[in-house]
Structures are given as structure tokens and as C-alpha cells.
Amino acid sequence: MGTMKPTRLNTNATDAKCPAHALHDHPKIPQEKIGVLLANLGTPDATDYWSMRKYLSEFLSDKRVIDYPAWKWQPILQGIILSIRPQKSGAAYRTIWNNDANESPLLTITKQQHQAISAKLGSKFGENIVVDYCMRYGNPSTKSKVAAMIAEGCTKILFFPLYPQYAGATVATANDEFFRALMKENWQPASRTVAPYFDNPQYIDALAQSVERAYASAAKKPNILICSYHGLPARYLTKGGDPYHCQCQKTTRLLKERLGWADTEIMTTFQSKFGPEEWLQPYTVEEVARQAEAGNKSIAVCAPAFSADCIETLEEINEEIKESFEEAGGEDFLYIPCLNDDEAHIDVLTQVIEENLKGWT
């Protein structure tokens, strides 16, 4: 090999050296490593109008999220929606913002997950494993983290979108962004993506443990557990064949079986409806009111589609949906937090990673 310099390799790394049998003038390159890149949905940098507008524009311009033709959708988005929604979303974020770290709870929790997983993998595989995290929308971007991993010497990267269930609007778009980042690299690493893990027995057990702990500490036992999943337009399922709805239903069923409950003690609903068209039903905000009106004055709500608490859980569920329940006559509303950096959850994620690293480590 001659004097061609590899793209963006960190030749100043302490472990950088010339490859075996290289010519004397070959640049030093870092020791080969394996990268594990955790990915979550995203976060605004701040709660002000322009930060929220930038974040929402990126999010709502994603064709995986809103699939309307750009000529039809972008004038509406950039005009009416982004003139109004940033203020409303910013106000919602301010109610849950981590003021100490000046960041969203999703970013705080993702950092905690990253640190815990990095420690576990590092203790087993040593310095040859590089663990990092990125966001599909906002910062840190997927592109920047892929470039950083390659510069550090990662010749293999496992990309892990932190969603238990598959949906085009979550897992697929995260993978899309990962592949787009690879397209920018002249020297691409070998790559793998992680499949959904909604039916992983260890994941279901961790979910069940969180429910059992919450019920054990509740002042009054809930009449029913509402498993609230992020919604999608119904046509994504009926016309596009997206498996998300089925995987959500199966998650609830497996949780029910693990808990040993009757069908009447648990149900599946969907939240975060956006726009005028029909989304997956029943809608959580309507169902909690119906439960209250039917006499179930004590309910619990969990969010099995989210690996970390975020605006959709801390603000939408624990404030808006709770308010809907109470206004309909409900009395006791218990929100069960996401698994976040719970030890059992970290064990699940680490196990999934190790399974997907087989043949590389």
C-alpha cells in the first residue's frame, strides 16, 4: 500500500500504528475496534421558539413520519404548523426539562443508558468495544457519531435503534439515517442493525417487574393497566404492511401472560395522534376517559414502546392523558415509568447487543 491516507482516521490516537507489512511512509492508523451505536428518536437543543422550530421541521419533514408529497405538505408545515406548534411544544418541554443539565429528559436518560451499557460491555470485551449514542433528529446527530467512530478505528459498527417494536417511523428511519451517514464515508465499516426485541423473554420480564413494583407500592390497586403505545396512521398498517400494530398487541399479550393476569386487567391503546386522518385505535386519551365513565376509577398506564421517558410519557401521558381521566371522573392515576436505566433493562439491552455481536467479538 502506498501513501494514500484513510478518510478521517484519528492518526493521533494513542493506539495508532503502521499496519503489518506496510511501507515505511504508511500513515499510522488506530487499532481496529467494534462500535456499538445506540440511537433514539431525538431532542431539541432548547425550548425556545427557534430551537423547537428547527427540531420539529426536521422531524415532521421525515417522509417516514409524514408521507404526504412534499409539494403538498411542506407549505403547510413551514407555514401554519411551524408558526404555531413550536410555542406549544416548547411550553410542554419546559414542564419536564432537566434544568440542571439544560437538556431534555430523553437525552439525560439516553446518556445514563449509554454509560451503563458501555461499562458492562467494556468489562467483558475491553477497549476494543466503543459504545456511543446518537439521535435521529437533533443532536448528537447520527452522521457525526458514525464519523467519530470511524475516526476512532471502528471497522465494524452495530447500530441499535432503541425501540422494542419495529415501525417505519421509528426503526426504519433511524436505519435510513445510519445508512446515509455510511454513504458519506470512503472507507465504510462493516455494519449490522438490530432487529426488534419486543418478544425477548428478558425484556418482557423486565417490563413485568416494573409493573409489579409499581402495583406493590400503589396506595390503591388499579382496576386496569393501559399499555399506551405511540400511534401511527392506520393506513400504514392496512396499506403499507407495517408490523408495528401486531408487535404492540403481542407485547401486551406476552406481558399479560408473564403477569398471570386476566384479559380484563390489561389492554392496548395508542397515543400522540397528529393530523386529521384516522390513526391506530383505541386512542389512549379517549380510552382513559371511557374507563373512568365505566366505573374504573383507578387505572395505571405504562408505555412499552418507549425505552426512555420523554415528552410523550412525562408530559402527554402524565399530564394530558391523566387530565382526561380525571375530568371524566377518574380518581387514582398511576403512571409507570419507562424502563430507562433500570438494571434489568440494561441487562436486556446488553444481552441483545452481545447476541448481535456474535462472530465479531
Side-chain angles (χ1 to χ4, degrees):
M1 191 171 181
T3 58
M4 184 178 293
K5 188 176 181 180
T7 303
R8 280 206 298 273
L9 284 183
N10 183 9
T11 57
N12 294 320
T14 55
D15 61 359
K17 60 183 180 180
C18 291
H21 311 299
L23 297 177
H24 71 280
D25 60 346
H26 192 290
K28 293 181 179 180
I29 61 174
Q31 177 182 332
E32 289 189 5
K33 301 179 183 70
I34 297 170
V36 176
L37 187 54
L38 311 172
N40 220 317
L41 179 74
T43 174
D45 294 327
T47 63
D48 62 277
Y49 172 83
W50 290 108
S51 296
M52 291 304 311
R53 183 179 177 115
K54 179 182 178 182
Y55 171 72
L56 290 171
S57 180
E58 183 182 9
F59 175 44
L60 296 175
S61 293
D62 186 347
K63 294 284 286 186
R64 292 278 195 180
V65 176
I66 306 292
D67 65 353
Y68 300 147
W71 65 265
K72 179 180 181 181
W73 173 239
Q74 283 299 319
I76 298 172
L77 175 63
Q78 301 299 329
I80 301 171
I81 294 175
L82 292 181
S83 294
I84 301 171
R85 195 171 178 89
Q87 291 100 326
K88 182 179 179 181
S89 295
Y93 266 100
R94 282 191 286 276
T95 67
I96 64 166
W97 198 252
N98 180 349
N99 292 311
D100 291 337
N102 192 26
E103 63 190 21
S104 71
L106 177 65
L107 182 54
T108 300
I109 294 166
T110 302
K111 287 179 178 179
Q112 293 167 344
Q113 293 171 329
H114 158 249
Q115 291 166 359
I117 292 170
S118 183
K120 279 186 171 290
L121 292 175
S123 66
K124 184 167 185 177
F125 300 111
E127 296 181 356
N128 290 336
I129 290 283
V130 176
V131 184
D132 211 337
Y133 66 93
C134 65
M135 297 292 171
R136 169 60 184 89
Y137 315 104
N139 296 305
S141 70
T142 304
K143 179 182 176 182
S144 68
K145 290 305 180 102
V146 168
M149 281 190 160
I150 293 173
E152 197 165 347
C154 293
T155 58
K156 301 178 178 70
I157 297 178
L158 176 67
F159 186 70
F160 190 0
L162 294 176
Y163 307 100
Q165 301 82 16
Y166 175 94
T170 54
V171 174
T173 189
N175 288 341
D176 288 346
E177 192 69 4
F178 174 59
F179 297 139
R180 277 192 287 267
L182 291 178
M183 289 171 64
K184 302 294 184 181
E185 299 297 332
N186 290 331
W187 191 349
Q188 289 183 332
S191 60
R192 293 176 179 173
T193 59
V194 176
Y197 57 95
F198 68 95
D199 55 355
N200 181 303
Q202 197 173 344
Y203 162 69
I204 295 297
D205 190 57
L207 202 57
Q209 288 178 43
S210 72
V211 173
E212 290 168 339
R213 286 194 301 269
Y215 270 52
S217 61
K220 184 177 181 180
K221 181 182 177 181
N223 300 118
I224 190 169
L225 172 64
I226 307 291
C227 294
S228 180
Y229 299 83
H230 196 287
L232 290 175
R235 62 186 170 79
Y236 287 17
L237 165 67
T238 56
K239 296 182 179 179
D242 195 302
Y244 179 69
H245 179 265
C246 297
Q247 293 183 3
C248 292
Q249 295 285 2
K250 187 172 181 180
T251 302
T252 302
R253 176 175 64 80
L254 292 173
L255 176 59
K256 180 200 70 173
E257 292 171 356
R258 161 59 179 78
L259 291 168
W261 288 3
D263 291 345
T264 55
E265 295 178 275
I266 190 171
M267 72 174 300
T268 296
T269 62
F270 298 90
Q271 64 182 84
S272 308
K273 182 180 182 296
F274 178 79
E277 68 178 301
E278 179 185 347
W279 279 40
L280 298 177
Q281 297 190 40
Y283 302 134
T284 306
V285 69
E286 295 178 359
E287 182 60 31
V288 296
R290 194 190 71 79
Q291 290 292 329
E293 292 164 355
N296 288 331
K297 304 297 185 181
S298 178
I299 68 170
V301 179
C302 67
F306 299 91
S307 64
D309 275 306
C310 54
I311 190 73
E312 286 86 356
T313 63
L314 299 175
E315 193 277 334
E316 185 179 0
I317 292 179
N318 211 26
E319 293 183 24
E320 294 179 30
I321 290 170
K322 178 182 179 181
E323 183 179 342
S324 175
F325 174 68
E326 292 175 342
E327 287 181 349
E331 297 171 359
D332 300 295
F333 184 94
L334 174 65
Y335 171 61
I336 302 174
C338 295
L339 295 177
N340 297 325
D341 65 339
D342 179 80
E343 185 176 355
H345 189 215
I346 298 302
D347 286 343
V348 173
L349 299 178
T350 305
Q351 180 237 346
V352 170
I353 289 168
E354 290 187 27
E355 184 68 26
N356 281 270
L357 287 177
K358 285 183 177 178
W360 278 5
T361 52

